[in-house]
């Protein structure tokens, strides 16, 4: 069994009801729950959570799937708080033991103290910005992709824990021109391609044993 931990980082705040990411996160849970060979646990950062239990979910999982909007080119503050609280709780309890450096060589091996080796993660993000803002010359993001730009730190955060990245999916122009049916279809195709049509996860169910 491959163990999937799904985190809905979409936040209800201001004019945002968090509906897009809630829909995508629910669809992700439904996708894996309906397939043989998967176990699913979920967290919605809008609900009360116990940091210790969240750490246990990370340690339990073979794959962590994050769903988040991007607000002002960063994670929403509720999701960022979740990460800060849970990862701090996870110090020497399964997420990381140190920053990886040793006293006799303090300038080397930073970021190698993670405890989640053997796990993988995937992130989906949603944007008001159209995809053209990232790929066209002279547009706002200067031809810098989501993963190499705004989410670079997020990816390094997960690498710090020892997890390896699965290519994610980014939804654009969802505030003014959302097409939820198209997004759901695109997302299902992405999950099918990455989790059902390859042998990448053949030994994942044994990775934490």
């Amino acid at each position: 069994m491959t163990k999937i931990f799904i985190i809905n980082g979409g936040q209800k705040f201001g004019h945002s009801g968090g509906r897009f990411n809630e829909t995508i996160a629910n669809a992700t849970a439904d996708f894996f729950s309906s397939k043989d060979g998967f176990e699913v646990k979920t967290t919605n950062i809008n609900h009360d959570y116990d940091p210790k239990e969240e750490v246990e979910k990370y340690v339990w999982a073979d794959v962590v799937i994050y769903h988040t909007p991007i607000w002002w080119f960063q994670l929403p503050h509720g999701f960022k708080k979740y990460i800060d609280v849970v990862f701090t709780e996870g110090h020497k309890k399964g997420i990381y033991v140190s920053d990886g450096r040793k006293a006799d060589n303090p300038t080397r091996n930073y970021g190698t103290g993670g405890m989640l080796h053997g796990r993988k993660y995937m992130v989906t993000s949603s944007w008001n910005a159209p995809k053209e803002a990232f790929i066209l010359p002279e547009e706002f993001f200067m031809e810098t992709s989501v993963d190499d730009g705004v989410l670079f730190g997020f990816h390094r955060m997960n690498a710090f824990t020892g997890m390896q990245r699965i290519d994610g999916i980014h939804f654009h122009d969802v505030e003014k021109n959302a097409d939820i049916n198209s997004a759901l279809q695109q997302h299902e195709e992405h999950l099918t391609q990455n989790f059902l049509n390859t042998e990448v996860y053949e030994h994942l169910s044994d990775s934490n044993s």
Side-chain angles (χ1 to χ4, degrees):
M1 299 290 282
T2 299
K3 294 170 283 190
I4 308 291
F5 176 30
I6 302 163
I7 301 174
N8 175 13
Q11 188 173 342
K12 298 177 181 180
F13 177 80
H15 65 273
S16 174
R19 291 185 298 275
F20 183 89
N21 280 277
E22 184 172 13
T23 299
I24 296 295
N26 288 341
T28 305
D30 290 343
F31 176 89
F32 288 110
S33 296
S34 67
K35 306 292 188 296
D36 293 334
F38 296 96
E39 295 180 69
V40 175
K41 293 186 178 182
T42 64
T43 287
N44 184 329
I45 62 96
N46 295 281
H47 302 159
D48 292 337
Y49 53 84
D50 180 339
K52 181 180 178 180
E53 292 179 2
E54 297 306 301
V55 171
E56 291 171 353
K57 290 178 184 178
Y58 270 92
V59 174
W60 168 85
D62 296 312
V63 182
V64 179
I65 299 180
Y66 301 98
H67 297 293
T68 183
I70 301 297
W71 290 1
W72 291 108
F73 318 115
Q74 301 177 62
L75 299 183
H77 59 272
F79 188 21
K80 180 59 167 61
K81 178 181 178 181
Y82 171 89
I83 293 293
D84 289 344
V85 169
V86 173
F87 279 33
T88 298
E89 177 67 25
H91 181 221
K92 296 185 178 180
K93 297 177 183 176
I95 291 184
Y96 76 103
V97 67
S98 71
D99 69 13
R101 296 179 294 165
K102 305 297 183 184
D104 59 352
N105 195 2
T107 66
R108 294 293 185 268
N109 298 316
Y110 177 83
T112 60
M115 300 176 72
L116 293 177
H117 294 279
R119 282 79 166 177
K120 297 180 184 293
Y121 76 96
M122 189 185 88
V123 57
T124 76
S125 67
S126 57
W127 295 75
N128 173 52
K131 65 180 180 181
E132 289 79 7
F134 298 87
I135 61 177
L136 295 181
E138 301 182 7
E139 284 295 319
F140 185 80
F141 290 99
M142 300 179 290
E143 298 180 84
T144 304
S145 71
V146 172
D147 294 300
D148 291 336
V150 170
L151 285 184
F152 177 80
F154 185 85
H155 289 307
R156 298 321 298 160
M157 174 197 80
N158 284 281
F160 190 98
T161 73
M163 288 194 286
Q164 294 181 327
R165 172 181 157 192
I166 300 169
D167 286 340
I169 185 171
H170 307 299
F171 300 101
H172 297 287
D173 209 4
V174 301
E175 187 168 339
K176 295 182 175 66
N177 295 298
D179 184 343
I180 190 62
N181 290 329
S182 177
L184 287 170
Q185 180 178 351
Q186 184 182 6
H187 183 53
E188 182 174 359
E189 291 172 355
H190 185 82
L191 293 178
T192 298
Q193 178 63 33
N194 282 278
F195 290 89
L196 301 184
N197 290 352
T198 72
E199 296 179 357
V200 173
Y201 305 99
E202 183 177 359
H203 302 296
L204 266 179
S205 59
D206 299 322
S207 64
N208 297 338
S209 60

